[in-house]
Amino acid sequence: MGVNTIHWFRKGLRLHDNPSLRDSIRGADTLRCIYILDPWFAGSSNVGINRWRFLLHCLEDLDASLRKLNSRLFVIRGQPTDVFPRLFKEWQINRLSYEYDSEPFGKERDAAIQKLANEAAVEVMVQISHTLYDLDKIIELNGGQPPLTYKRFQALINRMDAVELPAETITCEVIKKCATPIGDDHDDKFGVPSLEELGFETEGLTTAVWPGGETEALMRLERHLERKAWVANFERPRMNANSLLASPTGLSPYLRFGCLSCRLFYFKLSDLYRKVKKNSTPPLSLYGQLLWREFFYTTATNNPCFDKMDGNPVCVQIPWDRNPEALAKWAEGRTGFPWIDAIMSQLRQEGWIHHLARHAVACFLTRGDLWISWEEGMKVFEELLLDADWSVNAGSWMWLSCSSFFQQFFHCYCPVGFGRRTDPNGDYIRRYLPILRAYPAKYIYDPWNAPEEVQKAAKCIIGVHYPKPMVNHAEASRINIERMKQIYQQLSCYRGLGLLATVPANPTNGPSGSNVTGVNTGTSQGPGGSSEEQYVQEGTSRTGTQQLLHLISFHVLFTFEETSSITFLKTCFIPRVFKKR
Amino acid sequence: MLLTTHSDGSGGSVLLEVRGGGSADCDWARLPQELLLHIFQYLPLLDRAYASQVCRGWNQAFHMPELWRCFEFELNQPASSYLKATHPDLIKQIIKRHSNHLQYVSFKVDSSTESAEAACDILSQLVNCSLKTLGLISTARPSFMEVPKSHFISALTVVFVNSKSLSSLKIDDTPVDDPSLKVLVANNSDTLKLLKMSSCPHVSPAGILCVADQCHGLRELALNYHLLSDELLLALSSERHVHLEHLRIDVVSENPGQHFHTIKKSSWDAMVRHSPKFNLVMYFFLYEDEFGPFFNDEIPVTHLYFGRSVSKEVLGRVGLHCPRLVELVVCANGLRPLDEELIRIAKHCTQLSAIGLGECEVSCSAFVEFVKMCGRRLSQLSIMEEVLIPDHKYSLDEIHWEVSKHLGRVWFPDMMPTW
């Protein structure tokens, strides 16, 4: 009997640098590339229209590329655990390939599929190509723990073996005689659905600012490198008003979906650098974007609670406020702060915002102004942001809300000042908040301060046509910095007066005292120092409620173990309702 | 019988070693109460509660007064918080059986008014308490401010009147007022050592002056700038008054263009003379154009935090007039390089050991110069990566080596993820 193989696309939506697909084809008689439409975005079906549209573009592009190789893409509806046994039988499959997925949900799903494959005597071929490195090796190099600071991560990267070269692109030569049985009813049964078929309202939908697909990705890569070569400057680009707008050389969504191989990008960057800088060694900062992504994948891979505060060993337990009304205002761009609202508008319309814009809105929602949990912000980004995948999204939110990774919390992005300094003229605001278009630059960032005549002339009265600011920033940031300080002082057992020293610099600074939880003598005096110190030791943190047990002492961070009791994440999410075919 | 306990330090398990004693069996039910007390002190409340269900002896131990000296009431509503609250039955039990044991008490409330009111209700019932420490802590929005003022004041007054030996009091962001401070002073003037009352809008300078005049043991004080006066500083430096250790002042702008009064240099001088080692911590939340009254004269500030954008010019004045400066944190400045200002600070602020820069700009050369001048006394150097502007001498990749060299340890700027 011949070898009938399935290649299962999840991420890695490309034909270049796809080693598991390449291996799958070797010696196979038939090949079917499938994509399973299932709640795929780990954790929820909370996916907005832009992300679905991007995905469908990717699938169409794959289908078109496969057509050139006399093959097709098979889009299959259902849950993988139901779909595979059926396909194994129907197509007489004896080989299955897919790209390794490092995320905890992905690993669990794949373990279940591996089991099914073993039972059906199907050979499974898996290769790493979504990350630069084998993440388990990085963790091993760090003594079995994921690195918790970016600096440590960089140090480990320096010691790793070189990144593997991208695999050769799948072409007719690679496919050779491997055939794909295509039925006449292929389009009906396995065609890429449209947005309408998925239940979306598409009337009034503007053209995608970020078109999906491998073809587009590779084109953008070329442009990106061209621009870098022309500038001949590999330094971090200075932020200006233009940087806020979607760039035709932006690559992050393509990396997330795997339309662009991170390894290809890595090597092309290295080659370009060597060419322009005459063979000197590229510094790590050249790969900033790729390494941050790698860092968050590494910290997340063994932590199924990575996207939560509760039960997450690397997350500081912060008493965030529960306030659905305030959250909605933020998510819908109705905060009354034009800078914040414009950013959230761009996000909702286009699916991408500059990373400094992300810092601004994330800070505003969490530790800066609203004191709302980062988990809520993460969910909104998950819905709207094209390049937000589970690990990177959760990790970034924890970072930006100072919930992890030993971040200093003193720098707060002002929702007025930061925007004003970035784009003094306010064109970005005018573009995404047309209601404020007629405001002069002087008042466009804080229109509530504009005199009545100015507001009337701009035909936009604050409180009527555009909301009043939902918080008093000075007051809110004052309260919040105090809250963060309270929390970090308890965590680090720091008893001094400085703000900076409350945040420990790295995990190797062990706790100095035993007073994070526990010893409840009540009569002990503090070891000298201020009565504040005595006060904090004696009067607080002694209830021993469950929550205290989650306070991170650095012992806990060091003894962080792989959770063996991964709760089986049943794929019981409410999938989008598909229109019946 | 020799008993050793080994705690794992995180409040989790306790290993008990019992040696000797003669008999082969050890009757766990009949351990001496002192031993049980010692062991129970290592256990978090929940575990202790479980232990108390084991037998009568352990149940008695659970209720020993020594275990109820400290308590933190956590008051949260599910609608406004993700955290769990202290169980209402437990609260009832404590009030019934242990209120006269309580000495160090704090209340942590979430942003709901109900939680703050619940805290006030408990306070009102602490009639038999002789508290040494009381803390009212809002973990999110200042919900004590939403409680009807009279309800809050009467609850607080119960504690002031009954405790008579309050040593530490934390009542930031509450509607405490001058009359209640008078009650505090009338009953606790001999014992009061620490008073934190930032952002208490109903207190007047006269109210706090009363505290300073009567409570001569006051070592730590935190308040807002509008309460600060020359008289207050002089009262704190009077002969009868102990050395002040920490003074924290929050300078907050309610409305743009607000005017702030000035404090005479002579008042600060008196403070320094009286308490040469005292720490002056100042938090500024002002608009850029409100700094007029500040930093025109020498001021003995040690820890300085600018929570909003502060101008280059003001930072220049800081360099000239803050010789005792130990920590400086600048949240934002605006995009003009702070080169000269930093160098001046390095030169004049010889005690500076911690600096944090957020949204600012400094050229790499000036930064290296700054670090060189400060040298190894800089134990905290927290600079956002975007602050450093590469120039002809140093690129970003080179700068961290230079700085590390001068600091004597490996140093990197603070980074934010780029997606």
Side-chain angles (χ1 to χ4, degrees), chain B residues 136-164:
Chain B
L136 301 179
I137 301 165
S138 331
T139 60
R141 285 196 307 255
S143 43
F144 282 109
M145 297 301 296
E146 315 285 313
V147 175
K149 185 159 171 269
S150 49
H151 184 192
F152 177 81
I153 298 293
S154 60
L156 198 59
T157 321
V158 166
V159 175
F160 288 171
V161 168
N162 286 287
S163 288
K164 300 209 190 307

Side-chain angles (χ1 to χ4, degrees), chain B residues 12 22 49 64 95 108 113 204-205 267 296 362 395:
Chain B
M64 281 191 285
I95 296 175
K108 272 196 168 154
T113 318
S204 77
S267 312
N296 299 307
V362 182
S395 75

Side-chain angles (χ1 to χ4, degrees), chain B residues 115-297:
Chain B
S115 300
E117 278 178 349
C120 293
D121 287 334
I122 298 171
L123 273 176
S124 313
Q125 296 178 69
L126 297 181
V127 186
N128 297 320
C129 276
S130 183
L131 292 185
K132 296 210 172 99
T133 297
L134 175 64
L136 301 179
I137 301 165
S138 331
T139 60
R141 285 196 307 255
S143 43
F144 282 109
M145 297 301 296
E146 315 285 313
V147 175
K149 185 159 171 269
S150 49
H151 184 192
F152 177 81
I153 298 293
S154 60
L156 198 59
T157 321
V158 166
V159 175
F160 288 171
V161 168
N162 286 287
S163 288
K164 300 209 190 307
S165 57
L166 269 176
S167 155
S168 290
L169 185 60
K170 262 189 164 188
I171 44 175
D172 311 89
D173 291 301
T174 60
V176 66
D177 58 7
D178 288 357
S180 37
L181 283 182
K182 276 214 173 82
V183 175
L184 169 70
V185 166
N187 290 282
N188 301 277
S189 61
D190 294 334
T191 49
L192 194 66
K193 295 201 187 97
L194 180 153
L195 177 60
K196 293 203 165 230
M197 35 172 281
S198 301
S199 296
C200 293
H202 301 299
V203 177
S204 77
I208 190 68
L209 189 57
C210 171
V211 176
D213 276 336
Q214 307 285 328
C215 303
H216 299 138
L218 195 62
R219 293 198 196 128
E220 291 188 43
L221 182 59
L223 39 63
N224 275 31
Y225 191 76
H226 75 271
L227 293 181
L228 193 67
S229 60
D230 295 302
E231 292 78 26
L232 180 66
L233 291 179
L234 292 174
L236 291 171
S237 355
S238 80
E239 259 181 24
R240 291 167 301 169
H241 208 104
V242 303
H243 296 304
L244 194 72
E245 285 171 27
H246 306 308
L247 177 61
R248 170 174 161 160
I249 303 173
D250 282 16
V251 190
V252 184
S253 165
E254 309 286 326
N255 301 298
Q258 190 171 333
H259 286 300
F260 292 90
H261 63 283
T262 46
I263 299 292
K264 296 193 193 123
K265 181 171 181 300
S266 52
S267 312
W268 288 122
D269 289 345
M271 279 293 300
V272 177
R273 264 196 311 271
H274 180 79
S275 311
K277 294 209 186 105
F278 96 107
N279 290 299
L280 177 60
V281 180
M282 296 186 81
Y283 280 69
F284 282 87
F285 293 93
L286 300 183
Y287 292 91
E288 270 197 38
D289 53 358
E290 292 170 332
F291 279 96
F294 300 103
F295 303 110
N296 299 307
D297 261 329

Side-chain angles (χ1 to χ4, degrees), chain A residues 238 321-323 358 376 396 421 478 482-483 497 499 517 520 522 530-532 535 538-539 543 545, chain B residues 10 45 48 70 72 78 80 82 104 106 111 133 135 138 140-141 196 199 220 246 248 327 359 361 419:
Chain A
R238 291 289 289 274
D321 200 12
R322 253 205 163 120
N323 191 338
R358 297 176 204 203
E376 301 296 347
S396 300
R421 287 186 282 275
R478 178 194 68 78
E482 197 54 40
R483 306 289 170 255
L497 292 168
L499 195 64
T517 59
N520 185 5
S530 77
S531 329
E532 156 94 84
Y535 172 84
E538 292 167 343
T543 58
T545 54
Chain B
S10 66
L45 183 63
R48 237 186 285 152
C70 296
E72 180 165 82
S80 44
Y82 298 97
Y104 307 92
S106 61
S111 54
T133 297
S138 331
R141 285 196 307 255
K196 293 203 165 230
S199 296
E220 291 188 43
H246 306 308
R248 170 174 161 160
E327 176 171 279
E359 210 200 310
E361 286 204 352
W419 303 44

